[in-house]
Amino acid sequence: MVNAIVDTNLERAAQIKGHFLPSRNVKITDDYQQVLEDSQIQAVIIGTPPNLHEKMTLDALKAGKHVFCEKPFVLTLEQANAILDALKGTNLKFMLGFNYRFIPHFVKMANLLKKGAIGKPVIAKSVLFSRTSPSSTFTGFHLNSALGGGALFEMGCHHIDLLMWFFRKNTRGLRQHLEH
Ligand SMILES: NC(=O)c1ccc[n+]([C@@H]2O[C@H](COP(=O)([O-])OP(=O)(O)OC[C@H]3O[C@@H](n4cnc5c(N)ncnc54)[C@H](O)[C@@H]3O)[C@@H](O)[C@H]2O)c1
C-alpha cells in the first residue's frame, strides 16, 4: 500500500496521486524526512535523479526502511560501497530498478544461456538504439552528467547489468562483499 508521495515539486506529486491513486488517502509532501520518520512506512521507492540516490538511500537505511532504488545505482564506486557497507549486518532489503531482467525476451535469453544453448560464450556485445529528447526527464538530469552520470550510466547500466546477469557474475560479487 502506498502511504506517501514525496516530490520537491508538490504539483507533480499531486498529479501522480490523482492519476494512480485518486481515491486513496495518500500523504503528499516535499520533505522525504517526513516519510523516514513515519513508523507505518516500511519501504521506500527512490525515483529521483541519480545524484540523489546515495544520500536518500543511506538516510532511508539509517531510518530502518527497505529500499527500492531506481537505476543507475549511484555515480561513484565510493558511493556504491557506502551503501553496501550500510547494508551489512542489517536485515533490510535493497533492490535496484533493473527492470530489463523481467522483460520476457531477456528472461528467455538468460534461460537459454544457462542451459548452454550456444555453448560457452566467450564474448558479448550489447547495442541499444533509443529515442530521447531534451524534455524526456522533468529535471533534465539526463543532459547533465553531474546529475545523471551521462549515457553510460543512464542506459548503459541496463546493458552492463544484463550482461552480468547473463554470465552470472553479479550476485556472487555482491554476496561476497556483504559477507566480508
Ligand atoms: N528502470 C527504468 O527503466 C527507468 C525508466 C525511467 C527512469 N528511471 C530512473 O528513475 C530515476 C528518475 O527518472 P525520471 O525520468 O523519473 O526523472 P525526472 O527528472 O523526470 O523526475 C525526477 C523527480 O524527482 C523530483 N525530485 C528532485 N529532487 C528531489 C528531492 N530532493 N526530493 C524529492 N523529489 C525530488 C523532481 O521534482 C522530479 O519530479 C532516474 O534514476 C532514472 O534513471 C528508470
Side-chain angles (χ1 to χ4, degrees):
M1 193 174 84
V2 176
N3 287 34
I5 298 174
V6 184
D7 201 306
T8 40
N9 184 314
L10 287 171
E11 197 183 325
R12 202 161 189 231
Q15 275 171 1
I16 289 167
K17 183 201 173 307
H19 187 79
F20 292 105
L21 302 157
S23 54
R24 287 269 184 80
N25 183 19
V26 175
K27 177 181 177 143
I28 289 183
T29 172
D30 58 2
D31 176 10
Y32 73 90
Q33 292 296 344
Q34 286 188 18
V35 164
L36 301 187
E37 285 162 14
D38 185 337
S39 59
Q40 298 294 310
I41 293 177
Q42 297 172 321
V44 296
I45 298 172
I46 298 175
T48 48
N51 66 312
L52 299 174
H53 290 183
E54 184 209 15
K55 176 158 174 42
M56 288 183 165
T57 299
L58 289 176
D59 286 350
L61 293 175
K62 201 169 161 196
K65 313 293 182 198
H66 304 287
V67 175
F68 177 98
C69 180
E70 264 301 349
K71 48 57 65 177
F73 187 10
V74 281
L75 299 183
T76 69
L77 190 58
E78 288 72 26
Q79 293 176 353
N81 281 327
I83 290 174
L84 295 179
D85 286 345
L87 279 163
K88 275 185 200 166
T90 74
N91 287 321
L92 295 172
K93 306 263 186 241
F94 176 77
M95 186 174 179
L96 283 168
F98 283 121
N99 52 319
Y100 280 33
R101 291 192 187 204
F102 301 93
I103 294 175
H105 55 259
F106 291 134
V107 174
K108 183 162 186 179
M109 197 161 147
N111 287 334
L112 284 170
L113 284 165
K114 199 174 166 188
K115 283 186 206 150
I118 60 165
K120 187 177 176 201
V122 291
I123 192 164
K125 181 175 171 182
S126 185
V127 178
L128 170 80
F129 294 95
S130 173
R131 211 166 53 117
T132 189
S133 75
S135 58
S136 69
T137 66
F138 183 74
T139 56
F141 75 81
H142 63 306
L143 300 174
N144 182 340
S145 60
L147 305 181
L152 181 65
F153 283 72
E154 179 52 13
M155 291 311 293
C157 70
H158 276 303
H159 295 239
I160 292 167
D161 178 64
L162 280 182
L163 292 173
M164 289 171 81
W165 179 46
F166 290 155
F167 302 110
R168 306 280 171 201
K169 289 264 171 24
N170 60 329
T171 47
R172 251 177 298 159
L174 179 59
R175 208 172 299 132
Q176 273 166 6
H177 183 99
L178 292 174
E179 279 165 7
H180 291 106

